[in-house]
Amino acid sequence: MLSFDAPSLPSPLVMRECTRPRFDGNLEKLKDWLAMLKSAGVRQSGPALLMALENLRKEDLSAKRRLAILSTLKVPLLKTCAGLPKPYSGEDTGAEHGSGVTLEQRLSRLMFVNLLQALHQFDQEYPLPSRRQLRRRQWTIRNIFRFANRQVRYAGLWRTPLPAGTWRDLHELQLYLMSRRVGSSWEPGAHSDVIGDFDPVFEYKVLLLLGFAVKTKESILQSEYFMDGLEGWAVQTHLDDPHNLLGRIRLIIVEVSEDRPARQLESTLDSPFRGWVLHPPYPYIHEIEGPFGASAFGIQSPGLALSD
């Protein structure tokens, strides 16, 4: 297994070589490049992987080859991210001036975007996929959500902004997967939300609950009780059609055309919108209430009170 921990600062020659990604879509060349990169350390492997992912988006490759490359890059990227300094350390984290987005966030974002691109390309190239191709598609969807989860948790834990487009892409992904599922006659379990042993709707609800909780109570990710209960609350959470809830107050809404997490309406829902109303269970609401018992949602549970 490749290691991205450098025992010492690499020579200027090695640094120049590592920051020039040898990436042309050839898997063997990519593996050779990664083998060379492992001795350079995270300060060089981070920018190099960033450039590789940027270049991959522009390459004219088949969906199969694109996914093979992303699969090869995944572990080195995760190892590099694990070794990068975090925002609290006071070290250079690779953050872009003005945006506050760190190198680790940019790497996760680029992996997410590349996987999303590969998913759309895969569906175009394989309208009637075989069982083996379906497994490859499931791997892609699973990892899209895994990297999205990393982004949301990182931003909440280290209190940094999410890269632009993160939430909009997540909302659009959910719409896309729903449309494919409804119109699909080939996908096993097409009548349900589950793809194999992985449920994209469940993962999406986990992210919605995470995003709303962090926005409401910044320190929530440090609560062991909250993190332990999150998946159970996601199972109990429902997404409802806004048309069914006109006139209700204090609803938590998910606007799929907006680049932001779920938010709470302070007034009544007067008109429908493109998206959903989020209905989390009460224990989740109770956990993210304000300090000293002051609820972020007032006296009533969100979405339960009718307007006059």
Side-chain angles (χ1 to χ4, degrees):
M1 182 176 293
L2 297 179
S3 172
F4 284 79
D5 297 323
S8 60
L9 189 67
S11 68
L13 178 60
V14 171
M15 291 170 67
R16 286 197 299 271
E17 288 298 308
C18 289
T19 54
R20 186 191 310 134
R22 297 175 178 177
F23 188 80
D24 59 1
N26 186 297
L27 203 56
E28 291 306 314
K29 288 185 179 180
L30 178 60
K31 290 178 180 178
D32 291 342
W33 177 69
L34 289 171
M36 178 199 65
L37 191 64
K38 69 178 182 179
S39 63
V42 296
R43 282 190 287 178
Q44 297 304 316
S45 61
L49 288 168
L50 192 75
M51 294 176 68
L53 288 168
E54 285 282 12
N55 289 339
L56 178 58
R57 298 172 63 190
K58 306 169 188 175
E59 292 284 343
D60 184 14
L61 305 168
S62 68
K64 180 179 178 181
R65 175 55 64 89
R66 192 177 301 278
L67 288 174
I69 292 170
L70 289 170
S71 178
T72 303
L73 289 173
K74 177 184 171 182
V75 171
L77 184 144
L78 291 174
K79 285 181 174 290
T80 296
C81 287
L84 287 171
K86 308 306 178 191
Y88 73 86
S89 66
E91 300 179 36
D92 180 12
T93 60
E96 295 179 337
H97 295 294
S99 71
V101 176
T102 67
L103 176 58
E104 183 171 346
Q105 287 178 289
R106 294 172 65 195
L107 285 169
S108 293
R109 171 65 178 166
L110 273 173
M111 192 68 172
F112 173 89
V113 170
N114 272 279
L115 286 164
L116 200 57
Q117 176 188 3
L119 173 64
H120 287 283
Q121 182 182 353
F122 185 92
D123 287 343
Q124 291 174 355
E125 293 182 11
Y126 301 101
L128 295 172
S130 65
R131 186 173 296 275
R132 183 176 182 180
Q133 290 163 347
L134 274 177
R135 287 197 296 269
R136 188 173 292 118
R137 184 177 188 268
Q138 291 165 10
W139 179 91
T140 307
I141 296 172
R142 184 189 300 270
N143 279 279
I144 288 173
F145 277 101
R146 291 291 181 259
F147 276 93
N149 192 291
R150 284 180 60 87
Q151 293 178 72
V152 175
R153 287 176 185 254
Y154 183 100
L157 186 61
W158 304 112
R159 302 186 184 181
T160 61
L162 277 168
T166 298
W167 281 110
R168 183 181 292 110
D169 286 347
L170 275 171
H171 300 325
E172 293 295 341
L173 171 63
Q174 178 62 16
L175 286 175
Y176 176 75
L177 293 177
M178 288 175 63
S179 67
R180 294 287 299 184
R181 186 168 59 248
V182 169
S184 172
S185 60
W186 47 259
E187 189 170 300
H191 60 283
S192 71
D193 291 336
V194 180
I195 301 175
D197 60 347
F198 182 77
D199 184 354
V201 177
F202 167 79
E203 297 295 333
Y204 180 60
K205 290 190 290 187
V206 167
L207 291 172
L208 291 177
L209 294 181
L210 268 175
F212 182 75
V214 170
K215 183 178 179 181
T216 306
K217 186 177 181 180
E218 285 189 344
S219 62
I220 194 65
L221 296 190
Q222 298 172 10
S223 167
E224 185 176 344
Y225 175 78
F226 176 83
M227 298 308 296
D228 288 344
L230 185 61
E231 292 190 355
W233 295 329
V235 172
Q236 301 172 54
T237 295
H238 302 287
L239 295 173
D240 205 348
D241 187 335
H243 290 81
N244 300 331
L245 296 161
L246 294 176
R248 299 287 186 99
I249 65 172
R250 296 189 178 279
L251 294 173
I252 303 174
I253 64 172
V254 182
E255 301 155 294
V256 298
S257 59
E258 300 293 335
D259 186 23
R260 61 188 177 198
R263 66 184 182 93
Q264 186 184 22
L265 287 179
E266 294 299 327
S267 58
T268 61
L269 179 62
D270 296 324
S271 59
F273 59 92
R274 185 169 177 256
W276 302 278
V277 174
L278 185 70
H279 291 292
Y282 179 74
Y284 166 86
I285 297 298
H286 178 74
E287 184 63 16
I288 62 175
E289 286 179 341
F292 311 112
S295 172
F297 308 98
I299 297 175
Q300 297 163 308
S301 297
L304 297 183
L306 290 171
S307 62
D308 294 333

